[in-house]
């Protein structure tokens, strides 16, 4: 049987109780990201909030590692804004969060909405000065006449307080909607990409950015493709890739020229003519691109499949995995209910042997590259009792439905998993359904 | 077949228009995908219309061939019957033969009775008025896709929006 890894929930957190929430749609999770050590997990939501979870490990008596992720910090990153010039509202939804590698005691992350990127510093405070000479404990100044001795304040322990403060605001550089941010391996620069342009920033400089890719045509009526995602290479600080709505990926080298409109490599697979339909354009649009940790491969996600590309081979991917091929015959209905436009993300595990992506009905897929196996799992309250191993799920595409299979027509297309993340070192995964976050951990026997 | 194309065209246009009222401003990516799909459907629809009209107009000697080898063959012969301007409009030929094959059950006899006129070619669901508060880019982009139904070679006004039934049974493609 294909049960190559068993997961059990470590944390189940219901982020929305519609009956009490004042703004039910604001709690929809829009991005999930582990930091570089995996100790912290950040989520962003439609309401502009960032919630950070911290891993607490404890050694159980049965010698089973059990991780728990508890809320570490919550803050409002972005607020809704109004562009008066264009009469447009700017959504506060957090599109992406990216962590900076840790340099000192504080943690830093970049969070972005459609127009503005912010650098946040998250720091701990576990002591505070007490015993001021001139002030009372509540801050009021003491009467000068009563001060007869010199008292030097000392630091005393206090309850841990986690503070988030905005250190930089990178604004006004994007005409179109930002879809990606990516921190460079040089730890000094990062890129931000919108539909038509990619800008390069220095983390210390907010009033200037360099435009490195511009695919806007002189005449907008000639527009045929947009940028859908962009990422820096994990080790080569001069290299980045960007994907397009036409299913192509371009790799660019910043050493070649200041403006990287000309790609160094173009990754494109010829279309299969037998699959042509009205919706071929839409389903070939790439929704996510991610480099492997070792930097030798990249993975792309389009509507129906996940493709692994070798950076040295441009004409076709080295591996292709069908995520939910049974949807190919339903594209018309999915166009009608707008599901065909859903942008699924994908992620690698720590050693690049397994990739993961989401699907509908709160299903998510794990594709094992080394063992050529795949499994469909479900993230839902009903199927996730604490410490229970997740059961593989099967979708029946047609014909006779076997026991425990679910038919395509019974799938709930409102329950979609767009965002998933994998701990950089351990087999711990974070899966976001519409408004709930699930964290699963591999069961160690 | 063109019934499906017409439906997808109408669906695409209504989605394009509802995009403008969405919070956060126009989504360029989605409007691009919608207009591409709308154009593909429109091309199929127009080609099918033109073929039916061409079929009516055919001289007697050719008629038996055209009549006997119904929709599928006609679409294969289409490059010869279309004018160069109209050839430029359709860029999905291989797909059409496959699609026509599948969907040739629709009653084309019904349409062949129709008198050929310019109004027959135009879809009957384009709005008369465009919203005023467009940005330049939006306007250029959408004008190009939605109102330019005859390659910009004539300046006729778009038809008024008529009720178009969209709540049909879903046909899986």
């Amino acid at each position: 049987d294909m049960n190559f890894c068993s997961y059990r929930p470590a944390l189940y957190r219901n982020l929305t109780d519609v009956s009490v929430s004042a703004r039910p749609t604001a709690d929809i999770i829009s991005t999930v990201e582990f930091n570089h050590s995996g100790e912290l997990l950040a989520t962003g939501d439609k309401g502009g909030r960032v919630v950070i979870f911290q891993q607490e490990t404890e050694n159980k008596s049965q010698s089973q590692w059990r991780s728990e992720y508890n809320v570490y910090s919550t803050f409002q990153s972005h607020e809704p804004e109004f562009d008066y010039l264009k009469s447009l509202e700017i959504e506060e939804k957090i599109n992406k969060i990216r962590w900076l590698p840790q340099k000192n005691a504080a943690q830093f992350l970049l969070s972005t909405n459609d127009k503005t990127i912010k650098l946040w510093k998250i720091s701990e405070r576990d002591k505070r000065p007490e015993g001021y000479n001139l002030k009372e404990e509540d801050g009021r100044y003491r009467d000068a006449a009563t001060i007869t001795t010199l008292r030097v304040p000392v630091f005393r322990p206090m309850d841990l307080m986690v503070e988030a403060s905005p250190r930089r605001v990178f604004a006004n550089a994007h005409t179109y909607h930002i879809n990606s941010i990516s921190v460079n391996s040089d730890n000094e620069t990062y890129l931000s990409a919108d539909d038509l342009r990619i800008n390069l920033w220095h983390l210390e400089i907010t009033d200037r950015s360099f435009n490195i890719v511009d695919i806007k045509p002189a005449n907008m009526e000639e527009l045929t493709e947009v940028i859908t995602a962009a990422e820096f290479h994990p080790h080569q600080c001069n290299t980045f890739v960007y994907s397009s709505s036409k299913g192509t990926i371009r790799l660019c080298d910043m050493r070649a020229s200041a403006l990287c409109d000309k790609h160094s490599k173009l990754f494109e697979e010829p279309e299969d003519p037998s699959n042509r339909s009205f919706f071929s354009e839409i389903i070939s649009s790439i929704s996510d691109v991610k480099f492997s940790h070792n930097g030798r491969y990249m993975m792309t996600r389009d509507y129906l499949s996940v493709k692994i590309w070798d950076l040295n081979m441009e004409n076709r991917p080295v591996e292709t995995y069908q995520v939910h091929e049974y949807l190919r015959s339903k594209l018309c209905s999915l166009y009608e209910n707008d599901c065909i436009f859903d942008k699924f993300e994908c992620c690698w595990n720590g050693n690049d042997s397994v990739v993961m992506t989401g699907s509908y009905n709160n299903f998510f897929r794990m594709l094992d590259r080394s063992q050529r196996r795949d499994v469909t799992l479900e993230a839902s309250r009903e199927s996730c009792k604490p410490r229970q191993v997740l059961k593989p799920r099967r979708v029946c595409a047609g014909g006779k439905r076997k026991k425990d299979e679910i038919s395509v027509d019974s799938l709930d297309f409102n329950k979609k998993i767009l965002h998933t993340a994998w701990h950089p070192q351990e087999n711990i995964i974070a899966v976001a359904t519409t408004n709930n976050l699930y964290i699963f951990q591999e069961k160690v026997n | 077949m063109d019934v499906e194309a017409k439906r997808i065209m109408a669906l695409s246009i209504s989605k394009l228009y509802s995009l403008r009222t969405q919070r956060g401003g126009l989504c360029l990516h989605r409007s691009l995908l919608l207009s591409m799909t709308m154009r593909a459907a429109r091309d199929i629809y127009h080609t099918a219309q033109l073929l039916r009209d061409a079929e009516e107009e055919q001289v007697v000697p050719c008629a038996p061939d055209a009549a006997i080898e119904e929709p599928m063959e006609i679409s294969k012969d289409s490059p010869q019957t279309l004018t160069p301007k109209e050839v430029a409009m359709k860029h999905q030929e291989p797909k059409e033969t496959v699609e026509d094959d599948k969907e040739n059950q629709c009653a084309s006899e019904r349409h062949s009775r129709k008198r050929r006129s310019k109004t027959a070619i135009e879809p009957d669901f384009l709005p008369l008025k465009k919203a005023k508060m467009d940005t330049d880019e939006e306007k250029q982009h959408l004008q190009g896709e939605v109102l330019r139904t005859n390659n910009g070679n004539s300046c006729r006004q778009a038809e008024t929006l008529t009720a178009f039934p969209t709540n049909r049974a879903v046909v899986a493609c």
Side-chain angles (χ1 to χ4, degrees), chain A residues 92 177 224 276 335-336 338, chain B residues 12 15 23-24 36 92:
Chain A
E92 67 275 29
H177 294 165
T224 54
R276 196 96 178 84
Y335 183 70
E336 263 185 83
D338 282 344
Chain B
S12 307
K15 283 181 190 291
R23 204 171 159 243
M36 280 181 161
Q92 316 265 5

Side-chain angles (χ1 to χ4, degrees), chain A residues 57-122:
Chain A
T57 52
E58 41 180 288
N59 215 340
K60 282 289 190 182
S61 56
Q62 299 102 326
S63 68
Q64 274 179 343
W65 281 99
R66 187 175 156 267
S67 285
E68 239 182 59
Y69 277 82
N70 300 311
V71 178
Y72 179 65
S73 172
T74 302
F75 57 94
Q76 188 73 31
S77 171
H78 288 72
E79 298 276 2
E81 286 173 54
F82 200 80
D83 180 338
Y84 293 97
L85 211 57
K86 294 184 184 170
S87 284
L88 288 175
E89 199 178 353
I90 301 170
E91 272 195 290
E92 67 275 29
K93 173 169 76 90
I94 308 294
N95 293 335
K96 284 279 154 49
I97 289 174
R98 290 289 182 263
W99 291 91
L100 268 57
Q102 192 173 9
K103 275 195 241 184
N104 51 39
Q107 300 277 356
F108 288 86
L109 62 78
L110 287 170
S111 72
T112 186
N113 69 349
D114 284 339
K115 298 285 184 180
T116 304
I117 307 130
K118 294 187 184 181
L119 176 69
W120 288 88
K121 177 181 178 184
I122 296 105

